[in-house]
Structures are given as structure tokens and as C-alpha cells.
């Protein structure tokens, strides 16, 4: 019978289960024990074929035909073990040859360390793949969302056209913190969160910010890899995420609240009526010279008033001052004052 063939010698209630030629079944063991006890068994005995592949039965050349003699166990076992060892040696030789053949390829392409940063960095190409990865990470997050929103529409990594995803994150107890670019000096302060009206989280602003960032639960981060928003990095290295999140925290401490309601309004006596009107003209985009001409003052006096308004609001730059004036709400609490016509 060829190697690997299955055999079934009996049928009926005590049917012999099929097995390969390298299996010494229970019926074969019983037959071998009987052959050792009786000194021989009939050649046509049931399950004799199960013993022949092991060399446990052999024909009796000097005896009667139709009988088989058992091989001594002390002789049969070493022979069988030696055969197994020869097969093992053949497989080991094949394994050694394969290892030698693959050695140049392994040297040419080293396996990355699973603990290295490269093993935790995935390049996401294409907007659909980026959006899918961000959606999945947002669905798995439930603690913290750190974002930096660019002033331009792209690249934007969060699914802004699906506000319900952000609403679900907030409903799970997630706390968003967002850094955004300040609005234009002539624009009113924003009334809704940069991530959408469904988001109730803190938002702050700085004049200069990196282009874009998302950090979720400090376990995964997304960063743009090109200026068009079509390639992004998905980072899961704890060391890299800790570094990026620490940088965000530093910027957060330097930033100013984005919403008017985040900062109490200035008291009325903090700025004079003249300074209020200069502030109003400043938010309209007028230069110091234009304001001086509109108010009838000299440029130096106008600059002194502007400096006092900046000090009262805590502004450190001209662009920031226009934003803080709009955010404070002080212009809405006082009607405009009429200055003499331009001279």
C-alpha cells in the first residue's frame, strides 16, 4: 500500500477507523501482542496489514505458508526509531538549505524592531484612507482629543462634514482641546467651536501654529505629510505621541481663549471714550495716520492711546490687538462717537 494511503479493514459495529500507514492502531497492537504470545499469526488475520509497514510481522521462510512471525520488540523499536531519525535528518538538511538560500534576502531587507518608532508609523495615502483611519480612531477614543486647526481649508484631517461623530465622542465623555488661528482683525469673534457647533470644548488661539494635528487619547496621532491633505502619517509610537502631546501642551499654555465668553469683559473705566473710538477705527483696518486724520489728533497721540488699549487687553501685537478688541465686546457696549470730519 503506498505511503499516505488510508485503510479500513472492517465494517459493522466494530469498524476499524481509517488511519495512515505510520499509525499503530489499537487493533494492530492487540494483534501484535497475540503474535508475540502465540509465536505467529495467520497471514490473513484482521489488521495484519496495519503491522506490515512497521516491519512487526514477517513471513516464516522455514515454516508453513500462510503464517506470519512477529519481530522481537527489542529489535523492531530501534529500527523504527532509526528510520524516524533519518527522516528528521533529511528535513533538517532541507531547512539548512532554505536558510542558506534566504540569507542574502534577509541581509538586504532587515526586519524592523517591533519596539522601534518605524514599526509604529503608517503612511496613509489618499483622502478616503485617511478619513477611514481617523474615523476609526475617533470611534475608539473616549478621553481626550487634541487638535490644531489650520487657517486654510486644507489639510483638514477631521471629518468636519460629519458633526455627529464629534458629538458622539463628546457624549462618551471625551474632552476636546483645539488650537486655532485667530480670526481677521475686522471679523467678529467666532461663536461656535472650530470643530463644529455640536462640540462643547475649550478652544484657544495663537498667531503662529503648525499646520494640523490630531491626538486621540494620547495613543494615536495623525499628522499631514503634504500640503494638499492627500498623505498623512498615523503615529502609534508612545514616545513620539508623548513628544507631540507635550508640544501641544506648551502651545496651549501660551495661547489665548478663542471665545469672547471665555474672558470676562473689560470694565468700562479700563479704556476712555476716545480710546474706544480709536479701537473701533483700528478694527476697521485703518492705519495710525488714517486714525489721526479721522480723530484730529497727531499720530504720536494716537499711538499712545493704542498702546494703552493694548496694555488693558494684554495684547502683544497689532494683529492680536484687533482680535482682542473684537473679542472683548467693548465696542458693542458703547455707541460710536462722532469725530470731526477728516481734515
Amino acid at each position: 500500500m503506498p505511503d499516505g494511503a488510508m485503510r479500513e479493514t472492517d465494517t459493522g459495529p466494530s469498524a476499524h477507523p481509517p488511519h495512515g500507514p505510520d499509525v499503530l492502531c489499537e487493533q494492530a497492537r492487540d494483534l501484535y501482542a497475540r503474535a508475540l504470545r502465540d509465536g505467529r499469526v495467520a497471514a490473513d488475520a484482521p489488521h495484519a496489514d496495519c503491522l506490515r509497514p512497521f516491519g512487526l510481522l514477517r513471513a516464516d521462510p522455514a515454516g508453513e505458508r500462510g503464517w506470519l512471525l512477529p519481530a522481537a520488540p527489542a529489535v523492531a523499536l530501534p529500527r523504527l526509531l532509526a528510520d524516524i531519525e533519518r527522516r528528521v535528518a533529511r528535513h533538517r538538511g532541507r531547512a539548512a538549505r532554505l536558510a542558506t538560500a534566504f540569507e542574502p534576502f534577509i541581509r538586504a531587507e532587515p526586519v524592523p524592531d517591533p519596539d522601534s518608532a518605524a514599526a509604529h508609523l503608517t503612511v496613509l495615502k489618499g483622502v478616503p484612507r485617511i478619513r477611514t483611519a481617523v474615523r476609526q480612531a475617533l470611534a475608539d477614543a473616549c478621553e481626550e482629543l487634541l487638535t490644531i486647526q489650520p487657517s486654510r481649508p486644507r489639510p483638514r484631517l477631521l471629518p468636519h462634514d460629519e458633526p455627529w461623530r464629534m458629538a458622539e465622542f463628546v457624549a462618551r465623555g471625551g474632552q476636546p482641546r483645539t488650537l486655532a488661528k485667530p480670526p481677521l482683525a475686522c471679523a467678529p469673534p467666532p461663536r461656535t467651536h472650530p470643530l463644529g457647533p455640536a462640540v462643547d470644548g475649550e478652544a484657544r488661539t495663537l498667531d503662529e501654529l503648525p499646520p494640523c494635528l490630531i491626538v486621540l487619547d494620547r495613543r494615536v496621532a495623525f499628522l499631514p505629510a503634504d500640503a494638499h491633505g492627500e498623505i498623512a502619517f498615523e503615529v502609534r509610537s508612545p514616545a513620539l505621541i508623548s513628544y507631540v502631546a507635550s508640544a501641544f501642551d506648551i502651545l496651549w499654555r501660551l495661547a489665548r481663549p478663542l471665545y469672547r465668553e471665555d474672558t470676562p469683559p473689560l470694565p468700562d473705566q479700563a479704556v476712555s471714550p476716545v480710546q474706544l473710538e480709536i479701537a473701533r477705527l483700528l478694527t476697521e483696518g485703518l492705519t495710525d495716520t488714517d486714525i489721526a486724520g479721522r480723530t484730529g489728533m497727531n499720530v504720536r497721540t494716537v499711538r499712545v492711546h493704542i498702546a494703552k488699549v493694548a496694555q488693558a487687553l494684554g495684547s502683544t501685537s497689532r494683529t492680536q490687538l484687533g482680535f482682542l478688541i473684537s473679542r472683548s465686546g467693548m465696542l458693542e457696549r458703547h455707541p460710536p462717537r462722532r469725530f470731526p470730519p477728516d481734515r
Side-chain angles (χ1 to χ4, degrees), residues 182-186 207 256 278-292 299 302-307 309-310 313-326:
L184 298 175
C186 58
D207 294 332
R256 309 172 299 276
I278 291 177
R280 191 187 310 276
L281 297 174
L282 187 66
T283 59
E284 294 175 3
L286 274 64
T287 65
D288 294 352
T289 302
D290 294 336
I291 295 175
V299 175
V302 168
R303 288 174 179 168
V304 170
H305 285 303
I306 291 176
V309 174
L313 293 174
S315 174
T316 58
S317 69
R318 182 75 171 233
T319 302
Q320 181 187 8
L321 177 58
F323 167 70
L324 293 178
I325 291 172
S326 298

Short mmCIF file of all heavy atoms in Angstrom, two decimals, residues 182-186 207 256 278-292 299 302-307 309-310 313-326:
data_model
loop_
_atom_site.label_atom_id
_atom_site.label_comp_id
_atom_site.label_asym_id
_atom_site.label_seq_id
_atom_site.Cartn_x
_atom_site.Cartn_y
_atom_site.Cartn_z
N PRO A 182 -6.24 82.85 14.89
CA PRO A 182 -7.20 83.90 15.23
C PRO A 182 -7.92 84.40 13.99
O PRO A 182 -7.39 84.33 12.88
CB PRO A 182 -6.31 84.99 15.84
CG PRO A 182 -4.97 84.77 15.22
CD PRO A 182 -4.85 83.29 15.05
N PRO A 183 -9.16 84.88 14.15
CA PRO A 183 -9.86 85.45 13.00
C PRO A 183 -9.22 86.77 12.59
O PRO A 183 -8.38 87.33 13.30
CB PRO A 183 -11.29 85.66 13.54
CG PRO A 183 -11.11 85.81 15.01
CD PRO A 183 -9.95 84.94 15.39
N LEU A 184 -9.62 87.26 11.45
CA LEU A 184 -9.11 88.55 11.00
C LEU A 184 -9.51 89.64 11.97
O LEU A 184 -10.52 89.55 12.68
CB LEU A 184 -9.65 88.86 9.60
CG LEU A 184 -9.24 87.88 8.49
CD1 LEU A 184 -9.93 88.24 7.19
CD2 LEU A 184 -7.72 87.85 8.32
N ALA A 185 -8.71 90.70 11.99
CA ALA A 185 -8.97 91.77 12.95
C ALA A 185 -10.34 92.40 12.74
O ALA A 185 -10.98 92.86 13.69
CB ALA A 185 -7.88 92.84 12.82
N CYS A 186 -10.80 92.45 11.50
CA CYS A 186 -12.09 93.08 11.23
C CYS A 186 -13.26 92.12 11.37
O CYS A 186 -14.42 92.51 11.22
CB CYS A 186 -12.09 93.68 9.82
SG CYS A 186 -11.75 92.47 8.53
N ASP A 207 -1.08 83.30 17.16
CA ASP A 207 -0.85 83.90 15.84
C ASP A 207 -0.13 82.94 14.91
O ASP A 207 -0.36 82.94 13.70
CB ASP A 207 -0.04 85.19 16.00
CG ASP A 207 -0.83 86.27 16.73
OD1 ASP A 207 -2.06 86.24 16.64
OD2 ASP A 207 -0.21 87.11 17.40
N ARG A 256 -4.34 82.00 23.81
CA ARG A 256 -5.40 82.82 24.42
C ARG A 256 -6.75 82.19 24.11
O ARG A 256 -6.91 81.54 23.08
CB ARG A 256 -5.37 84.24 23.83
CG ARG A 256 -4.01 84.88 23.88
CD ARG A 256 -4.01 86.20 23.12
NE ARG A 256 -4.35 86.03 21.71
CZ ARG A 256 -3.47 85.71 20.76
NH1 ARG A 256 -2.22 85.46 21.08
NH2 ARG A 256 -3.85 85.61 19.50
N ILE A 278 -10.84 104.99 18.95
CA ILE A 278 -9.61 104.62 18.25
C ILE A 278 -9.58 103.10 18.03
O ILE A 278 -9.19 102.62 16.96
CB ILE A 278 -8.38 105.09 19.05
CG1 ILE A 278 -8.31 106.62 19.03
CG2 ILE A 278 -7.11 104.48 18.50
CD1 ILE A 278 -7.19 107.20 19.85
N ALA A 279 -10.03 102.36 19.05
CA ALA A 279 -10.10 100.91 18.90
C ALA A 279 -11.06 100.51 17.80
O ALA A 279 -10.81 99.58 17.03
CB ALA A 279 -10.51 100.27 20.23
N ARG A 280 -12.20 101.24 17.70
CA ARG A 280 -13.17 100.93 16.65
C ARG A 280 -12.57 101.15 15.27
O ARG A 280 -12.72 100.33 14.36
CB ARG A 280 -14.42 101.80 16.84
CG ARG A 280 -15.61 101.38 15.97
CD ARG A 280 -16.75 102.38 16.09
NE ARG A 280 -17.07 102.68 17.47
CZ ARG A 280 -17.88 101.93 18.23
NH1 ARG A 280 -18.40 100.82 17.73
NH2 ARG A 280 -18.14 102.28 19.48
N LEU A 281 -11.86 102.26 15.10
CA LEU A 281 -11.23 102.55 13.81
C LEU A 281 -10.11 101.55 13.51
O LEU A 281 -9.88 101.19 12.36
CB LEU A 281 -10.68 103.98 13.82
CG LEU A 281 -11.73 105.09 13.99
CD1 LEU A 281 -11.06 106.45 14.13
CD2 LEU A 281 -12.70 105.09 12.81
N LEU A 282 -9.45 101.10 14.56
CA LEU A 282 -8.38 100.13 14.37
C LEU A 282 -8.93 98.81 13.82
O LEU A 282 -8.32 98.19 12.94
CB LEU A 282 -7.68 99.88 15.71
CG LEU A 282 -6.42 99.01 15.69
CD1 LEU A 282 -5.31 99.71 14.91
CD2 LEU A 282 -5.94 98.73 17.11
N THR A 283 -10.09 98.37 14.32
CA THR A 283 -10.68 97.11 13.82
C THR A 283 -11.19 97.25 12.39
O THR A 283 -11.43 96.23 11.73
CB THR A 283 -11.84 96.67 14.73
OG1 THR A 283 -12.85 97.69 14.76
CG2 THR A 283 -11.33 96.40 16.14
N GLU A 284 -11.37 98.50 11.93
CA GLU A 284 -11.79 98.71 10.54
C GLU A 284 -10.62 98.66 9.57
O GLU A 284 -10.79 98.79 8.36
CB GLU A 284 -12.52 100.04 10.41
CG GLU A 284 -13.84 100.08 11.17
CD GLU A 284 -14.50 101.45 11.12
OE1 GLU A 284 -13.94 102.34 10.43
OE2 GLU A 284 -15.56 101.63 11.73
N GLY A 285 -9.41 98.48 10.11
CA GLY A 285 -8.24 98.34 9.26
C GLY A 285 -7.51 99.64 8.97
O GLY A 285 -6.62 99.66 8.11
N LEU A 286 -7.85 100.73 9.67
CA LEU A 286 -7.19 102.00 9.43
C LEU A 286 -5.78 102.00 10.01
O LEU A 286 -5.53 101.40 11.06
CB LEU A 286 -7.99 103.16 10.04
CG LEU A 286 -9.13 103.75 9.16
CD1 LEU A 286 -10.21 102.73 8.90
CD2 LEU A 286 -9.68 105.01 9.80
N THR A 287 -4.88 102.72 9.36
CA THR A 287 -3.53 102.88 9.87
C THR A 287 -3.51 103.96 10.94
O THR A 287 -4.50 104.69 11.14
CB THR A 287 -2.56 103.26 8.74
OG1 THR A 287 -2.92 104.56 8.23
CG2 THR A 287 -2.62 102.23 7.61
N ASP A 288 -2.36 104.08 11.62
CA ASP A 288 -2.23 105.12 12.65
C ASP A 288 -2.42 106.51 12.04
O ASP A 288 -3.05 107.39 12.65
CB ASP A 288 -0.87 105.03 13.34
CG ASP A 288 -0.71 103.75 14.12
OD1 ASP A 288 -1.72 103.02 14.26
OD2 ASP A 288 0.40 103.47 14.59
N THR A 289 -1.89 106.70 10.85
CA THR A 289 -2.04 108.00 10.19
C THR A 289 -3.50 108.28 9.84
O THR A 289 -4.00 109.40 10.01
CB THR A 289 -1.16 108.04 8.92
OG1 THR A 289 0.20 107.78 9.27
CG2 THR A 289 -1.26 109.38 8.23
N ASP A 290 -4.20 107.26 9.33
CA ASP A 290 -5.62 107.44 9.00
C ASP A 290 -6.44 107.76 10.26
O ASP A 290 -7.35 108.60 10.23
CB ASP A 290 -6.17 106.17 8.34
CG ASP A 290 -5.53 105.92 6.98
OD1 ASP A 290 -5.05 106.89 6.37
OD2 ASP A 290 -5.50 104.74 6.55
N ILE A 291 -6.13 107.04 11.34
CA ILE A 291 -6.86 107.30 12.59
C ILE A 291 -6.59 108.71 13.09
O ILE A 291 -7.51 109.41 13.57
CB ILE A 291 -6.47 106.25 13.66
CG1 ILE A 291 -6.91 104.86 13.22
CG2 ILE A 291 -7.08 106.61 15.01
CD1 ILE A 291 -6.46 103.74 14.15
N ALA A 292 -5.35 109.15 12.97
CA ALA A 292 -5.02 110.52 13.38
C ALA A 292 -5.80 111.53 12.56
O ALA A 292 -6.33 112.53 13.09
CB ALA A 292 -3.51 110.76 13.23
N VAL A 299 -0.27 111.74 15.12
CA VAL A 299 -0.01 110.30 15.08
C VAL A 299 0.58 109.82 16.40
O VAL A 299 0.25 108.73 16.88
CB VAL A 299 0.95 109.97 13.91
CG1 VAL A 299 1.33 108.49 13.92
CG2 VAL A 299 0.30 110.32 12.58
N VAL A 302 -2.16 109.25 18.91
CA VAL A 302 -2.93 108.06 18.55
C VAL A 302 -2.19 106.80 19.00
O VAL A 302 -2.78 105.87 19.56
CB VAL A 302 -3.19 108.02 17.03
CG1 VAL A 302 -3.72 106.66 16.60
CG2 VAL A 302 -4.17 109.11 16.63
N ARG A 303 -0.88 106.79 18.80
CA ARG A 303 -0.11 105.60 19.17
C ARG A 303 -0.06 105.41 20.68
O ARG A 303 -0.02 104.28 21.18
CB ARG A 303 1.30 105.72 18.59
CG ARG A 303 1.30 105.52 17.08
CD ARG A 303 2.66 105.78 16.47
NE ARG A 303 2.62 105.55 15.01
CZ ARG A 303 3.58 105.91 14.18
NH1 ARG A 303 4.69 106.52 14.65
NH2 ARG A 303 3.47 105.67 12.89
N VAL A 304 -0.06 106.52 21.43
CA VAL A 304 -0.10 106.41 22.89
C VAL A 304 -1.41 105.78 23.33
O VAL A 304 -1.44 104.89 24.19
CB VAL A 304 0.09 107.80 23.54
CG1 VAL A 304 -0.20 107.73 25.05
CG2 VAL A 304 1.49 108.32 23.31
N HIS A 305 -2.53 106.21 22.74
CA HIS A 305 -3.84 105.63 23.08
C HIS A 305 -3.90 104.15 22.69
O HIS A 305 -4.43 103.32 23.43
CB HIS A 305 -4.95 106.40 22.39
CG HIS A 305 -5.24 107.72 23.02
ND1 HIS A 305 -5.59 107.85 24.34
CD2 HIS A 305 -5.25 108.99 22.49
CE1 HIS A 305 -5.81 109.13 24.62
NE2 HIS A 305 -5.61 109.85 23.50
N ILE A 306 -3.34 103.81 21.52
CA ILE A 306 -3.34 102.41 21.08
C ILE A 306 -2.53 101.56 22.05
O ILE A 306 -2.93 100.43 22.40
CB ILE A 306 -2.78 102.30 19.65
CG1 ILE A 306 -3.76 102.93 18.65
CG2 ILE A 306 -2.53 100.83 19.28
CD1 ILE A 306 -3.25 102.96 17.22
N ALA A 307 -1.41 102.09 22.53
CA ALA A 307 -0.59 101.34 23.48
C ALA A 307 -1.35 101.09 24.79
O ALA A 307 -1.23 100.02 25.39
CB ALA A 307 0.71 102.10 23.75
N VAL A 309 -4.65 100.86 25.12
CA VAL A 309 -5.67 99.84 24.84
C VAL A 309 -5.01 98.45 24.79
O VAL A 309 -5.54 97.48 25.36
CB VAL A 309 -6.39 100.13 23.51
CG1 VAL A 309 -7.34 98.99 23.15
CG2 VAL A 309 -7.15 101.45 23.59
N ALA A 310 -3.85 98.34 24.17
CA ALA A 310 -3.15 97.06 24.10
C ALA A 310 -2.77 96.58 25.49
O ALA A 310 -2.88 95.38 25.81
CB ALA A 310 -1.91 97.19 23.22
N LEU A 313 -5.80 95.19 27.31
CA LEU A 313 -6.27 93.90 26.79
C LEU A 313 -5.21 92.81 26.86
O LEU A 313 -5.49 91.65 26.57
CB LEU A 313 -6.74 94.06 25.34
CG LEU A 313 -7.99 94.92 25.13
CD1 LEU A 313 -8.24 95.12 23.65
CD2 LEU A 313 -9.20 94.29 25.80
N GLY A 314 -3.97 93.16 27.19
CA GLY A 314 -2.90 92.17 27.24
C GLY A 314 -2.41 91.76 25.88
O GLY A 314 -1.94 90.64 25.70
N SER A 315 -2.47 92.67 24.91
CA SER A 315 -2.05 92.35 23.55
C SER A 315 -0.56 92.57 23.39
O SER A 315 0.03 93.47 24.00
CB SER A 315 -2.82 93.21 22.55
OG SER A 315 -2.32 93.01 21.24
N THR A 316 0.05 91.73 22.54
CA THR A 316 1.48 91.84 22.27
C THR A 316 1.78 92.14 20.81
O THR A 316 2.96 92.26 20.44
CB THR A 316 2.20 90.55 22.67
OG1 THR A 316 1.64 89.45 21.95
CG2 THR A 316 2.08 90.30 24.17
N SER A 317 0.76 92.25 19.97
CA SER A 317 0.99 92.53 18.55
C SER A 317 -0.21 93.26 17.99
O SER A 317 -1.31 93.24 18.55
CB SER A 317 1.24 91.25 17.76
OG SER A 317 0.06 90.47 17.67
N ARG A 318 -0.01 93.91 16.85
CA ARG A 318 -1.09 94.67 16.20
C ARG A 318 -2.22 93.74 15.75
O ARG A 318 -3.39 94.04 15.95
CB ARG A 318 -0.51 95.42 15.01
CG ARG A 318 -1.50 96.29 14.26
CD ARG A 318 -1.82 97.55 15.00
NE ARG A 318 -2.61 98.50 14.22
CZ ARG A 318 -2.26 99.76 14.04
NH1 ARG A 318 -1.16 100.24 14.59
NH2 ARG A 318 -3.02 100.57 13.32
N THR A 319 -1.84 92.58 15.17
CA THR A 319 -2.87 91.64 14.72
C THR A 319 -3.67 91.10 15.90
O THR A 319 -4.90 91.01 15.87
CB THR A 319 -2.22 90.47 13.96
OG1 THR A 319 -1.50 90.99 12.85
CG2 THR A 319 -3.26 89.49 13.47
N GLN A 320 -2.96 90.76 16.95
CA GLN A 320 -3.63 90.24 18.15
C GLN A 320 -4.54 91.30 18.76
O GLN A 320 -5.62 90.98 19.27
CB GLN A 320 -2.59 89.78 19.17
CG GLN A 320 -3.20 89.20 20.44
CD GLN A 320 -2.15 88.92 21.50
OE1 GLN A 320 -0.99 89.29 21.33
NE2 GLN A 320 -2.54 88.27 22.57
N LEU A 321 -4.12 92.55 18.72
CA LEU A 321 -4.91 93.62 19.33
C LEU A 321 -6.28 93.74 18.66
O LEU A 321 -7.31 93.85 19.34
CB LEU A 321 -4.16 94.95 19.24
CG LEU A 321 -4.90 96.17 19.79
CD1 LEU A 321 -5.26 95.99 21.25
CD2 LEU A 321 -4.06 97.43 19.59
N GLY A 322 -6.31 93.69 17.33
CA GLY A 322 -7.59 93.78 16.65
C GLY A 322 -8.52 92.65 17.04
O GLY A 322 -9.73 92.85 17.25
N PHE A 323 -7.95 91.44 17.17
CA PHE A 323 -8.76 90.30 17.58
C PHE A 323 -9.28 90.46 19.01
O PHE A 323 -10.45 90.20 19.30
CB PHE A 323 -7.94 89.03 17.45
CG PHE A 323 -8.55 87.84 18.14
CD1 PHE A 323 -9.69 87.24 17.65
CD2 PHE A 323 -7.97 87.33 19.29
CE1 PHE A 323 -10.24 86.15 18.28
CE2 PHE A 323 -8.51 86.25 19.93
CZ PHE A 323 -9.65 85.65 19.42
N LEU A 324 -8.42 90.91 19.92
CA LEU A 324 -8.83 91.05 21.32
C LEU A 324 -9.86 92.15 21.49
O LEU A 324 -10.75 92.05 22.35
CB LEU A 324 -7.59 91.33 22.19
CG LEU A 324 -6.58 90.18 22.29
CD1 LEU A 324 -5.38 90.61 23.13
CD2 LEU A 324 -7.23 88.96 22.90
N ILE A 325 -9.76 93.21 20.69
CA ILE A 325 -10.78 94.25 20.76
C ILE A 325 -12.15 93.69 20.39
O ILE A 325 -13.16 93.92 21.06
CB ILE A 325 -10.40 95.42 19.84
CG1 ILE A 325 -9.18 96.17 20.39
CG2 ILE A 325 -11.58 96.38 19.67
CD1 ILE A 325 -8.63 97.21 19.44
N SER A 326 -12.18 92.91 19.31
CA SER A 326 -13.46 92.32 18.89
C SER A 326 -13.97 91.32 19.92
O SER A 326 -15.16 91.27 20.22
CB SER A 326 -13.29 91.63 17.53
OG SER A 326 -12.92 92.56 16.54
#
